Amino acid sequence: MQYNPGWNNSSVNLLHVRAVGPGDTLHYIWSSIGAPTVLLVATASGSSVLRVNWTRLLSPAPAGAIWIDPPSSVVYSAAVVFTKVFEYSEGRALEELFYPTYDLADFSWDSVNRTLNHTALTAEFTGVPATDPGGSFSNGSLAFRVTAYEASGRDGPLPSLLHTANSSKVEFVLAGVAPRGNGSRFALEVVTVEETGVAQKLRSARSIDDEYTPTIFETLSLVAESQNDSSALSFLQWKATAYGSRTPRREDNIQCRSRDLRAANWTLPVSSVVRAYFGEGVGSTYTVSAINISFGGEDGKVYEEKRYLSWSALLGFGQPPKDTFSPLVISIMAVALGTPTVMLVVGSCVVLFAQRKRYSEYEPIN
């Protein structure tokens, strides 16, 4: 993990996470220059490195300021941008009343270097609006917590996401932000940038096994698929839940819904990092898609009471991890299905034995 490589000023944030394999390298470039963004770049070289032209990156024309050396080693690149946070509530006629949008490109962000943990491979981007006339953020903040992984495993805290060494976690947190209405709900806009020939697909998987995330049976994945062979290139995966506590429990569950995935070529992600890597022709040369992920129960009271919201997602390369039935659930199913089967077999044997013994008491009739 490198913070602002080649730059000694902490007034801006760029965090480079590099995972090196025997013959390839995975690059995650997180930044809050503009809207919070992560660039995902996979290379076919174990020695590829990130290059940053800081003078150009911080200029009004940042195109070409970020690249991977050697450029020929890049086999796949994409970006995920967290652009806006919407706040809304339901009116009397069941209509949604929206308050002024929080544009994350206009936020002021703390130095990530203060929260960077090289041992735990974690960092936190914390920000507040540059102007806050309503004072909603006077005692609160918005944050994106980043975690990298060195091996496969499962997170301890809910929602206990299953991860691999090819993935990282991002956690969206609203803490102490005063709602602007009764029963306010929130929605996060997520924008993806993909190369030509790659399409985003929203998948939903349901399972009866909720051992690791109680009462949550649905997992959603936003998967980038190659249009040539339908292979998965990258993903953003999350459970259909958020939580209203710093130490989440089942009863802290906040309902999470995903709006329809849509083409967003009409709007470009406000991120200097996206333009610095992909160039000025993002909207025409690359595919831009957007999805809104909303949080809140039927009445939106959970956040209003606790003023805390946490939503976690996994992002990485290749196929998203798939949960299988845990040993505990397999054991329960084996007992539940096996016991009646054993009783049926034993009962049949007893009946057959009793019938034979009963008829053997009679002498044959001549």
Side-chain angles (χ1 to χ4, degrees), residues 11 21 23 38 42 79 106 142 147 167 170 183 193 198 247 290 295:
S11 60
V38 55
D106 297 331
L142 180 150
T147 303
S167 58
V170 58
V193 179
V198 179
T247 54
F295 316 101

Side-chain angles (χ1 to χ4, degrees), residues 86-90 96 183-187 295-300:
F86 303 99
E87 182 181 353
Y88 62 97
S89 58
E90 278 192 357
E96 294 177 341
S184 281
R185 308 174 194 179
F186 295 90
F295 316 101
E298 294 301 325
D299 55 5

Side-chain angles (χ1 to χ4, degrees), residues 3 52 60 124 145 160 175 179 181 201 269 297 328 333 353 355 363:
Y3 175 70
V52 182
E124 184 171 329
R145 297 173 181 166
S160 303
K201 300 290 181 64
L328 175 61
M333 293 176 64
F353 179 76
Q355 286 180 343
E363 295 291 334

Side-chain angles (χ1 to χ4, degrees), residues 303-359:
Y303 180 81
E304 188 174 350
E305 293 173 358
K306 300 185 178 181
R307 294 202 178 181
Y308 190 88
L309 167 67
S310 171
W311 171 77
S312 298
L314 199 70
L315 55 88
F317 298 88
Q319 287 281 1
K322 290 184 179 180
D323 260 321
T324 57
F325 285 112
S326 65
L328 175 61
V329 171
I330 292 175
S331 301
I332 293 174
M333 293 176 64
V335 171
L337 298 176
T339 301
T341 303
V342 172
M343 293 178 65
L344 180 62
V345 172
V346 172
S348 300
C349 293
V350 169
V351 170
L352 290 175
F353 179 76
Q355 286 180 343
R356 288 184 177 182
K357 184 176 181 180
R358 175 185 173 186
Y359 287 110

Side-chain angles (χ1 to χ4, degrees), residues 87 102 136-137 139-142 174-179 186 303 307-308:
E87 182 181 353
Y102 292 119
S136 297
F137 279 79
N139 295 313
S141 63
L142 180 150
L174 275 179
V177 178
F186 295 90
Y303 180 81
R307 294 202 178 181
Y308 190 88

Side-chain angles (χ1 to χ4, degrees), residues 7 22 75 93 122 125 147 152 154 178 187 207 222 235 276 287 328 332 357 364:
W7 185 255
V75 294
T122 58
F125 295 79
T147 303
S152 299
R154 186 182 296 276
S207 171
L222 190 60
F235 64 87
T287 303
L328 175 61
I332 293 174
K357 184 176 181 180

